[in-house]
Amino acid sequence: VSYIRALAEEGSRFTAAVPVAEAENAVRIMTVHGSKGLEFPVVALAGAGKRFNYSDFTSLTIFHPEMGFGMQRVEREALRRYRTIPYAAAASREKRDMLSEEMRLLYVALTRAKERLILCVSEKDLHGAIRQAAALYTGGDKPTPAAAGGVSSYNRWMLAAFLRHPAMKGWREETGADLPETPADFPLAVVEAALPEGEAAAPETLPEPDREMEAALAERFAWAYPHLAETKIPAKLSVTRLTHKQ
């Protein structure tokens, strides 16, 4: 907005953006869909921790092209709703199709780099995330399809794969994941953000409230229109309504 305002003040004309050529030395930001069929020397995958959209599986109705239409049963007296068998079947297939598409998109993102691929897996609770990733290996040395279908983001899939990296030996021992180590020729670092030793997080201090502003706001919110009764008088009345009033 500041840039547009400055251009307007200077009287400059807006020009169309020039597309970035593939040969130019520049950083291109695009979606995974937009990167299909393209390759780049260096690729950084961002937003891998964004949760998958499961909102469609909480609605009252759901539709799948093969499984058909499903509805939840609503008990208005008890204010509760339940999944019916058709609903559960359609939701299960719809979820499987959605996760299959997400896995295909992740494959596309991981195969766009020619020389270097940078993956950043960020978690608020790193220990809990690694334990959940280790829980995907319920069927041996590979995650089962059922377990892989219970994830909520790309991070869980990638963490499950990273657990077999030599650099994750300590984490495997901590979580009790008895997994074979896979040789890898790429570096992997686990960084836990923490304050330096001896330093404690400063308590959050809130500024003192403006008492005059509080009083002014309270007065304005308490104001009532003095002619409220007149606003309820209709602009016109029918003969029938006048008769009923008499």
Side-chain angles (χ1 to χ4, degrees):
V1 176
S2 300
Y3 173 72
I4 296 175
R5 186 181 294 113
L7 288 179
E9 292 175 354
E10 295 174 2
S12 302
R13 297 184 61 184
F14 294 95
T15 57
V18 180
V20 179
E22 292 187 11
E24 291 187 22
N25 185 21
V27 176
R28 299 179 63 181
I29 301 176
M30 61 177 58
T31 63
V32 179
H33 279 288
S35 68
K36 287 184 177 180
L38 303 177
E39 287 186 331
F40 305 92
V42 180
V43 173
L45 177 61
K50 182 180 178 181
R51 296 179 64 85
F52 297 146
N53 185 11
Y54 286 126
S55 60
D56 291 342
F57 309 114
T58 59
S59 60
L60 287 173
T61 61
I62 193 169
F63 176 77
H64 187 270
E66 296 181 7
M67 303 303 296
F69 185 76
M71 297 181 62
Q72 293 194 38
R73 178 183 176 184
V74 178
E75 291 187 0
R76 300 187 182 278
E77 294 79 8
L79 298 178
R80 300 183 66 179
R81 60 183 184 180
Y82 306 90
R83 285 190 167 194
T84 60
I85 294 178
Y87 185 98
S92 177
R93 285 293 300 275
E94 188 69 21
K95 180 181 178 182
R96 189 179 71 176
D97 293 348
M98 185 201 75
L99 291 176
S100 297
E101 177 62 19
E102 294 292 351
M103 192 168 288
R104 284 190 290 268
L105 286 176
L106 180 59
Y107 173 80
V108 170
L110 300 181
T111 54
R112 299 304 94 196
K114 293 181 181 179
E115 302 171 9
R116 177 172 295 182
L117 175 64
I118 302 173
L119 302 176
C120 181
V121 178
S122 177
E123 292 284 352
K124 291 183 179 180
D125 181 9
L126 183 59
H127 293 261
I130 291 179
R131 282 193 294 269
Q132 292 178 15
L136 298 183
Y137 292 92
T138 56
D141 59 350
K142 293 182 180 180
T144 62
V151 303
S152 58
S153 67
Y154 293 141
N155 276 2
R156 295 294 188 271
W157 284 334
M158 292 193 291
L159 277 175
F162 293 157
L163 268 177
R164 299 179 61 170
H165 192 281
M168 298 293 289
K169 180 179 180 181
W171 290 95
R172 290 196 301 271
E173 294 175 352
E174 180 178 333
T175 57
D178 185 16
L179 301 174
E181 189 171 277
T182 301
D185 57 356
F186 62 90
L188 178 66
V190 180
V191 179
E192 294 186 79
L195 292 172
E197 188 176 353
E199 293 187 13
E204 184 180 0
T205 56
L206 299 176
E208 288 293 328
D210 188 340
R211 301 302 178 185
E212 294 183 2
M213 180 63 70
E214 281 187 351
L217 289 175
E219 182 181 357
R220 292 190 179 187
F221 284 126
W223 181 82
Y225 184 56
H227 307 289
L228 184 61
E230 285 78 354
T231 63
K232 298 180 180 180
I233 299 176
K236 58 182 179 179
L237 292 173
S238 64
V239 177
T240 305
R241 194 166 180 184
L242 285 171
T243 305
H244 284 298
K245 279 195 170 185
Q246 292 177 355

